[in-house]
Amino acid sequence: MVTKIEVINKLWSHENKLVLQAVEELRVRGWLVDGSLRGVALCKTQFQDADLMGADLRGVDLHQAQLEFSDLSKANLTAAKLTRANLHGANLDQADLTRADLYKASLRRAHNLMDDQLSRAKRMWGAIMPDGSTYDGRYNLRGDLELALWKKIDTQDPRAMAEFYGVSVEAYLSGQGKEVKTPSPEPI
């Protein structure tokens, strides 16, 4: 009889096929949704094409995890560490991203991802958005603002914040829902 810890240990395999088999075994035994993975460090795991639908991944460390084209619909990713994770093409329909750390994560071509989900994240500095653009600060996330203050950035200065996010002032202001003011022409 294989134990829960033995199945979880298979998630660290460098072979995606073995990881997918372990995910399926976790699902069949109910361990994917019962909190068995809560808080586990799964850094650099190979979750490409994984069926993680409804998984309880609260507090899981998925730093640099490869989650391309994985199904994370209805997954609970509350406080998950997704820093530098590759979520290219992932299905994030109704995934709970509350306090998730998406620092430098790639969300390129991720689908079923709503602004409401992203606005609850902890941090998204340097993240690549589904359309391929760099995150522009539009959600004013607490973790991003703390990082800016730590770097001694004036968070009230749109130019400084645009530079902090690596976007144009226009993109930053647009993300903030503010109009870009163009200077009036000088009278002749």
Side-chain angles (χ1 to χ4, degrees):
M1 173 96 175
V2 68
T3 66
K4 186 187 304 186
I5 197 70
E6 288 172 327
V7 177
I8 291 172
N9 283 338
K10 291 179 185 179
L11 296 176
W12 284 289
S13 173
H14 294 293
E15 292 184 43
N16 182 244
K17 182 178 179 181
L18 295 176
V19 173
L20 296 180
Q21 289 171 349
V23 168
E24 188 55 30
E25 189 166 354
L26 288 168
R27 177 175 302 291
V28 167
R29 294 174 181 259
W31 296 333
L32 195 60
V33 296
D34 73 348
S36 292
L37 295 175
R38 198 177 304 162
V40 173
L42 295 173
C43 303
K44 298 182 181 181
T45 49
Q46 304 298 312
F47 281 123
Q48 299 93 329
D49 298 307
D51 180 2
L52 297 166
M53 180 178 170
D56 184 349
L57 300 171
R58 287 180 277 175
V60 173
D61 187 347
L62 291 161
H63 172 72
Q64 292 185 334
Q66 301 303 311
L67 291 151
E68 300 98 322
F69 303 102
S70 59
D71 184 0
L72 288 159
S73 57
K74 298 182 181 174
N76 189 340
L77 292 157
T78 299
K81 184 176 182 180
L82 291 156
T83 55
R84 299 179 191 266
N86 187 349
L87 293 145
H88 179 99
N91 180 7
L92 291 157
D93 186 38
Q94 299 178 49
D96 188 346
L97 296 171
T98 303
R99 296 186 322 279
D101 191 347
L102 293 161
Y103 173 89
K104 291 192 174 186
S106 175
L107 298 165
R108 190 181 309 268
R109 296 182 60 203
H111 53 281
N112 300 318
L113 182 58
M114 310 300 279
D115 283 337
D116 181 54
Q117 291 167 277
L118 293 174
S119 69
R120 288 180 275 157
K122 173 185 177 180
R123 179 170 62 160
M124 287 184 62
W125 186 89
I128 304 300
M129 301 299 282
D131 65 1
S133 65
T134 301
Y135 172 62
D136 59 14
R138 70 184 61 207
Y139 306 120
N140 296 307
L141 300 174
R142 181 178 179 174
D144 291 334
L145 297 174
E146 288 172 352
L147 179 61
L149 290 170
W150 181 80
K151 290 185 171 196
K152 302 196 183 324
I153 306 291
D154 179 357
T155 59
Q156 301 303 309
D157 179 357
R159 289 190 191 286
M161 289 303 288
E163 187 175 322
F164 169 71
Y165 284 111
V167 298
S168 69
V169 175
E170 292 77 16
Y172 174 75
L173 289 172
S174 176
Q176 297 296 307
K178 298 178 182 174
E179 285 185 40
V180 179
K181 296 179 183 174
T182 54
S184 302
E186 293 292 321
I188 300 178

